[in-house]
Amino acid sequence: MDRKKKIKKDRKNGVQPLMYNRNIKPRWGHLILAGLLFALEVAAFPAKAQELQSDSTQDIVRAFSKGSDSAIQSVESQNFEEQILETHTLEVQATVNWKLVSQEINEKNEYVYDGDKTDDTMSDRVLPKVSDGSWGYIVNGKVQDTASVNAANLAGWWHVKNGWVDWSDGILYTTDGWHKYVGGKKELTANETVENNAAGWFYLKDGTVDFSYTGLAQNENGVFWMNAGVFDTGMTGIVPDTIGVSADGSGWLYLLGGIFDATADTIAANEAGWWKIRDGLVDFTYNGLACNDTGWYYLENGMVDFGYYGAVQNEAGIWYVEHGRVNMEYNGSAYGYYFSNGKAQ
């Protein structure tokens, strides 16, 4: 086989040309690029490896790189320390010792705990005076002769007067508002209701008079109109149901003297018009004649139609209506009828 054919065959079989003692001309551009890439990879490797190592491991690697004889000792020391820490963790047990400490008021009206220890930093706490059964209000370690205040302990909030719990019932004044108390303790369950004291009837929320509230409220005696937290006897009119008095909660209630009148059968007014009231609620289905203390009126869909003119019939007869009101003084013929005193003859 001649030389050219052999080279061609060997190339096909993957044999390198160097085996034929040929001088290969290197392509220097390729070699330089490969060298640069290799140098960059070698430079980046230590940084990447260091990120993956713990501090202690890096110390050991640095020791090896310096040829330190203590490298192996460092590894052994680290393992030994981890074993010691693990052993100590298992042996140490956290314990908490609880002690029940008494707190009360002594004969000098001072705060004492754990028998007879005083603490003049103790403040805003209601505690018992065991010797006579009274409860005092501690401020700076002593019972203070304070104004009427609402003060707390673990059992609740208490009405304190002149430094001692006042066991009275009722809505009582304190420096932070009016609160309802039963046996001296604030009644937090008195919520969204109406109760009274000698000064009047008030709206309570979580046991405290809410002077910011204006609207409907109720108790076992009825439904009332509250103005700034106080029962308003001057309120007569129609208001929307906001507390679920009507069947679906969307009705309008008639109030007379600040009280919902569930028996009212009349015509009453608000800023939107004049309305038929039946059983204390606006009846939007009413059509026909109805009256109040000012006269008889013609209504459509529960509302007086002041633009209506005509003859309207009810169970008492046929009546002459002008401006939506029956004219009892009309005499004459109209709408095919002859009227006398507003009634068809």
Side-chain angles (χ1 to χ4, degrees):
M1 182 182 299
D2 60 21
R3 188 171 183 273
K4 290 184 179 180
K5 290 182 179 180
K6 180 173 178 58
I7 292 173
K8 185 176 181 181
K9 180 180 180 181
D10 288 344
R11 281 180 177 176
K12 183 178 181 181
N13 295 328
V15 179
Q16 297 297 326
L18 290 175
M19 295 183 64
Y20 306 99
N21 299 316
R22 295 184 61 188
N23 293 325
I24 304 301
K25 294 182 179 180
R27 296 186 180 182
W28 295 107
H30 290 175
L31 292 176
I32 293 171
L33 178 59
L36 287 173
L37 292 175
F38 179 77
L40 290 173
E41 185 66 20
V42 170
F45 177 78
K48 293 180 180 178
Q50 190 170 2
E51 290 177 358
L52 300 175
Q53 295 170 350
S54 64
D55 293 340
S56 59
T57 304
Q58 291 180 28
D59 291 338
I60 297 170
V61 172
R62 283 193 292 269
F64 275 115
S65 66
K66 293 179 181 179
S68 173
D69 293 335
S70 62
I72 298 177
Q73 295 178 359
S74 298
V75 175
E76 294 175 347
S77 175
Q78 179 184 344
N79 293 337
F80 179 70
E81 289 173 0
E82 290 176 353
Q83 292 175 3
I84 292 176
L85 289 174
E86 182 179 1
T87 303
H88 285 188
T89 302
L90 293 174
E91 291 179 353
V92 174
Q93 299 293 331
T95 59
V96 178
N97 295 322
W98 294 94
K99 180 180 180 181
L100 186 62
V101 176
S102 62
Q103 296 185 90
E104 56 186 315
I105 298 170
N106 64 16
E107 292 302 318
K108 297 179 181 179
N109 293 337
E110 298 172 323
Y111 166 76
V112 293
Y113 70 96
D114 197 17
D116 58 356
K117 298 172 183 167
T118 60
D119 181 359
D120 59 8
T121 66
M122 175 59 70
S123 290
D124 297 325
R125 181 70 62 86
V126 174
L127 293 170
K129 185 174 182 179
V130 178
S131 61
D132 61 11
S134 59
W135 286 23
Y137 177 54
I138 297 295
V139 178
N140 296 327
K142 294 182 180 181
V143 175
Q144 300 292 330
D145 187 9
T146 62
S148 181
V149 298
N150 185 47
N153 63 13
L154 295 177
W157 290 85
W158 305 88
H159 179 232
V160 175
K161 189 174 182 181
N162 299 325
W164 301 93
V165 170
D166 174 15
W167 306 103
S168 302
D169 298 340
I171 298 174
L172 306 174
Y173 168 79
T174 71
T175 55
D176 69 344
W178 293 72
H179 310 281
K180 181 188 177 182
Y181 297 95
V182 175
K185 184 179 181 180
K186 183 177 178 180
E187 189 173 81
L188 296 173
T189 57
N191 188 42
E192 297 182 354
T193 187
V194 180
E195 299 199 26
N196 72 311
N197 64 9
W201 290 82
F202 300 93
Y203 176 75
L204 295 173
K205 187 172 183 179
D206 298 325
T208 299
V209 175
D210 184 357
F211 289 108
S212 68
Y213 180 78
T214 295
L216 294 170
Q218 69 182 63
N219 63 15
E220 64 277 6
N221 297 316
V223 177
F224 308 91
W225 182 256
M226 313 303 293
N227 185 10
V230 181
F231 172 49
D232 183 3
T233 59
M235 177 59 176
T236 295
I238 301 170
V239 298
D241 180 9
T242 58
I243 59 174
V245 175
S246 53
D248 60 358
S250 64
W252 288 72
L253 282 62
Y254 173 68
L255 303 175
L256 179 62
I259 302 174
F260 169 57
D261 184 358
T263 64
D265 188 358
T266 186
I267 295 174
N270 66 4
E271 62 277 5
W274 290 38
W275 304 90
K276 172 60 181 176
I277 306 298
R278 179 178 288 175
D279 297 327
L281 300 172
V282 173
D283 182 359
F284 293 103
T285 67
Y286 190 86
N287 295 290
L289 297 175
C291 69
N292 62 12
D293 55 2
T294 65
W296 286 80
Y297 298 87
Y298 174 71
L299 299 93
E300 288 187 3
N301 299 320
M303 184 179 184
V304 173
D305 183 357
F306 287 105
Y308 184 82
Y309 290 80
V312 181
Q313 183 176 4
N314 66 4
E315 63 277 4
I318 299 174
W319 304 88
Y320 180 81
V321 177
E322 59 180 8
H323 296 295
R325 182 181 180 183
V326 174
N327 184 355
M328 298 292 188
E329 296 178 356
Y330 181 79
N331 295 291
S333 297
Y335 311 116
Y337 300 97
Y338 176 75
F339 294 92
S340 175
N341 296 324
K343 184 178 182 181
Q345 303 301 306

